[in-house]
Amino acid sequence: MPKSGEDHIRSVNDGRCVYINGDRVTNIAEHSAFQNAVRSVARLYDFQADPANLDRMTFETPTGQRASRAWQLPKSYRELVERREALVSWAQLHQGFMGRSPDHVASTLAAMSMGLDVFERHTGGRPLAVRDYYAYARDNDLYVSYVIIDPQGDRSKGTSADGNADLAVSICDEDAEGITVRGSKMLGTGAVLSNEVLVTTLRPLGPTEEKYAFTAAVPINAKGLKLLSRRSYEQAAPSVFDNPLASQFDENDAVLYFDEVKIPWERVFVHRDPACQLAQWHNTPAHSYQNYQAEIRLLVKMRFLVGLARKITETIGTINYPSVRETLGELASQVGMIEAFVYGMEAKGWQYGEYYLPDPNLVYAAQVQSQTLYPKVIHTLRELSGGGVLMLPSSLADFHDPEIANVIRKTQVSPVLSSEERVQLFKLAWDAIGSEFASRHTQYEMFYSGPRTVTTGMAFRCFDWKQTADAVNGALSPDALPASLLAGQPARLALVG
Ligand SMILES: Cc1cc2nc3c(=O)[nH]c(=O)nc-3n(C[C@H](O)[C@H](O)[C@H](O)COP(=O)(O)OP(=O)(O)OC[C@H]3O[C@@H](n4cnc5c(N)ncnc54)[C@H](O)[C@@H]3O)c2cc1C
């Protein structure tokens, strides 16, 4: 039986070391900075454990138990689509606003377990640890977050050249029981809410950077692990009415500092091996499978935002202006593009051993387009909203005073909504496009998959350039050139590759 929300709430009261506003938090499930986000995660688990949703949300594992489809290793197009439908149902519970919901890193770990042979091929790879941890995390339905980026210091220097032993996490000791690591990583989204964190590095490391080249899973309550939370938007949200999104879905981001954290060997997947550390991402399907999940989530979020855009224009009576319809049509085509990407990745999927997986070229194409599309969509919603998102009473409390409520009713007017409904809608709109929570989301969608130089680099490397070169070369047939021009020239003109 999959775990319940209550199981998850209990599991995070484990002595973890979380700091916020100068205090150490005792129990995140009862702290005003995190409690609603913990409940939102718990709702995901309750939803999948509901007997009515079991078929949709879970699959049968090799040991005959039901586990979350987040952990599923699809063997056919049909299984891939069934899994996507489960992920869509989960994302709809937060409208795509919890970017690192438990299905993200579950996708990473599932895909690493599909590529055990990659770990076998490298001396520093530890395939049995990967296999066993995947089964353990799946069977206990762990919420695993990850930290895979070195903190910003001096980006013009490599991690090892920085000379600061506390900046990027590295192995500082090891013995018969395991490794000990010290240093930090950015930026653990959802880490505060999760059970465990996968710590590793995404960027390629050089041969002299062996001590940074490790991958391991660490319980959030591990001795020495310190989580420094950013400001909580949930804590600053007075009510669900005033901040419907920030009050519920602030998944948090934290800097993680590993203060000599001991990690047993059975949780170490890569050990001092830069080649294996890179191969774990790109020679297994880990990197593309996790980012496929991200595009599924984005699709849900885009549908929500485009629905919001239309409702705003109905509410302020602009929907029938031709220019507004054009803008809504543009938004509709943008959500259609993300939908086409997701369905295309599946239809153009490929066989990786016994597994059927989404096409990586389209995953990377989608990533590049998504990170520029999102800020554009937010800008369009701002344009459609005008000052309506700020022409609002300060909080729900204003409705409690009859005199103020009377003025609100006279000034909050719409052809289709009551005053209260209009205020509620625009509070939702501001929380999606303009609040501090919304602004963090724009930064998230622009950067979660890496800076643009990195995502375009992946798209460049994965693209089938031969196909395009053949097309161009085919149109440059030497037969079309007059023989006189060809005299003394190479037999064939090649543009690319
Ligand atoms: C909200 C949010 C949540 C996140 N969640 C997670 C998470 O859960 N786990 C995790 O591991 N990471 C997470 N990250 C980190 C994320 O992966 C990084 O932000 C991303 O990889 C970019 O790295 P950076 O922020 O260090 O920016 P940098 O790499 O420092 O880049 C900053 C800017 O400098 C430019 N730049 C840097 N180097 C070069 C260069 N050589 N040439 C040209 N331009 C350059 C970049 O293009 C960019 O515009 C999160 C980030 C954000 C914003």
Side-chain angles (χ1 to χ4, degrees):
M1 188 69 184
K3 76 179 181 188
S4 68
E6 201 44 50
D7 292 336
H8 183 70
I9 290 172
R10 263 196 306 274
S11 74
V12 295
N13 184 13
D14 58 1
R16 60 192 54 204
C17 185
V18 176
Y19 294 107
I20 189 165
N21 302 329
D23 286 328
R24 179 169 172 185
V25 178
T26 325
N27 177 7
I28 58 159
E30 290 174 1
H31 192 283
S32 58
F34 311 106
Q35 59 192 5
N36 294 347
V38 173
R39 282 193 205 113
S40 293
V41 174
R43 265 201 300 282
L44 301 178
Y45 290 114
D46 278 338
F47 181 83
Q48 79 175 7
D50 184 334
N53 299 329
L54 270 186
D55 275 350
R56 185 180 182 86
M57 300 304 298
T58 66
F59 73 109
E60 192 174 315
T61 68
T63 54
Q65 290 167 338
R66 306 277 329 164
S68 169
R69 282 198 192 273
W71 300 100
Q72 192 168 5
L73 316 178
K75 292 191 174 163
S76 64
Y77 172 75
R78 191 177 60 80
E79 286 185 2
L80 186 65
V81 171
E82 282 171 351
R83 180 178 181 273
R84 182 243 298 155
E85 284 167 353
L87 303 196
V88 165
S89 295
W90 251 15
Q92 283 169 340
L93 297 178
H94 50 81
Q95 306 298 355
F97 280 91
M98 297 192 91
R100 293 289 189 247
S101 50
D103 41 337
H104 185 75
V105 180
S107 304
T108 315
L109 290 164
M112 284 181 176
S113 84
M114 293 179 212
L116 293 182
D117 55 316
V118 173
F119 292 86
E120 267 158 26
R121 281 202 292 275
H122 293 86
T123 46
R126 300 178 47 77
L128 298 185
V130 178
R131 183 198 65 188
D132 293 348
Y133 184 78
Y134 160 73
Y136 168 74
R138 177 197 65 199
D139 294 346
N140 291 282
D141 212 354
L142 294 183
Y143 178 1
V144 187
S145 53
Y146 68 19
V147 282
I148 58 177
I149 304 291
D150 297 339
Q152 269 183 348
D154 182 346
R155 283 283 187 252
S156 70
K157 293 179 182 160
T159 302
S160 52
D162 200 280
N164 178 349
D166 283 322
L167 195 58
V169 67
S170 66
I171 299 173
C172 60
D173 196 10
E174 59 187 81
D175 58 24
E177 286 162 28
I179 59 172
T180 302
V181 300
R182 187 174 71 233
S184 58
K185 280 280 181 191
M186 69 183 278
L187 181 61
T189 299
V192 167
L193 314 174
S194 65
N195 299 117
E196 306 219 354
V197 62
L198 183 72
V199 51
T200 183
T201 297
L202 181 62
R203 74 176 179 89
L205 291 167
T208 59
E209 294 182 300
E210 277 186 358
K211 68 176 181 172
Y212 300 97
F214 74 92
T215 302
V218 180
I220 293 293
N221 69 348
K223 188 164 174 282
L225 178 54
K226 296 172 179 163
L227 291 86
L228 276 70
S229 167
R230 64 150 161 76
R231 178 182 139 76
S232 162
Y233 312 138
E234 163 181 337
Q235 198 168 34
S239 68
V240 175
F241 180 85
D242 288 298
N243 290 90
L245 301 173
S247 63
Q248 301 182 80
F249 307 129
D250 181 14
E251 62 186 336
N252 197 269
D253 310 286
V255 169
L256 269 58
Y257 184 70
F258 297 79
D259 195 355
E260 307 214 345
V261 175
K262 182 116 200 184
I263 311 173
W265 286 115
E266 63 266 24
R267 287 166 162 277
V268 179
F269 312 143
V270 176
H271 176 232
R272 292 185 186 272
D273 189 336
C276 188
Q277 166 263 325
L278 192 60
Q280 71 178 345
W281 295 114
H282 305 299
N283 293 0
T284 79
H287 195 250
S288 59
Y289 201 49
Q290 74 190 26
N291 287 309
Y292 161 66
Q293 179 277 343
E295 291 299 323
I296 294 170
R297 175 201 55 82
L298 180 66
L299 173 59
V300 172
K301 197 177 188 183
M302 287 283 291
R303 285 177 178 151
F304 166 77
L305 289 171
V306 173
L308 189 60
R310 184 179 170 125
K311 199 162 170 77
I312 288 168
T313 62
E314 288 167 350
T315 301
I316 62 172
T318 55
I319 178 121
N320 288 322
Y321 290 136
S323 61
V324 169
R325 291 202 157 221
E326 254 177 46
T327 304
L328 289 173
E330 176 84 23
L331 285 174
S333 79
Q334 288 163 338
V335 73
M337 180 175 82
I338 301 298
E339 187 169 323
F341 267 130
V342 170
Y343 296 171
M345 289 169 205
E346 294 163 354
K348 194 170 169 253
W350 65 303
Q351 208 66 41
Y352 177 78
E354 58 185 317
Y355 307 109
Y356 182 83
L357 294 172
D359 176 60
N361 294 346
L362 287 181
V363 173
Y364 294 124
Q367 263 190 338
V368 171
Q369 293 303 320
S370 303
Q371 66 185 170
T372 47
L373 179 65
Y374 191 83
K376 273 193 216 154
V377 168
I378 295 299
H379 184 78
T380 306
L381 264 88
R382 281 174 171 260
E383 272 180 351
L384 291 172
S385 303
V389 281
L390 294 163
M391 189 193 89
L392 289 170
S394 57
S395 80
L396 183 61
D398 288 336
F399 281 99
H400 297 152
D401 181 310
E403 197 180 330
I404 308 176
N406 197 26
V407 179
I408 295 173
R409 285 189 189 106
K410 285 182 184 165
T411 53
Q412 294 287 336
V413 176
S414 157
V416 290
L417 297 183
S418 69
S419 301
E420 291 81 357
E421 287 167 339
R422 182 189 159 115
V423 172
Q424 188 183 24
L425 175 72
F426 276 106
K427 293 243 177 204
L428 174 66
W430 187 241
D431 221 12
I433 66 173
S435 68
E436 191 173 3
F437 172 85
S439 173
R440 177 263 177 202
H441 267 272
T442 300
Q443 201 71 3
Y444 179 81
E445 301 294 355
M446 288 170 68
F447 278 103
Y448 77 81
S449 55
R452 202 166 158 71
T453 50
V454 170
T455 54
T456 50
M458 284 303 299
F460 179 85
R461 281 191 293 281
C462 284
F463 188 69
D464 181 1
W465 289 110
K466 178 167 182 330
Q467 202 180 41
T468 56
D470 288 349
V472 175
N473 289 336
L476 293 174
S477 166
D479 301 344
L481 286 175
S484 57
L485 287 183
L486 278 177
Q489 296 295 315
R492 176 151 170 74
L493 296 172
L495 269 191
V496 195

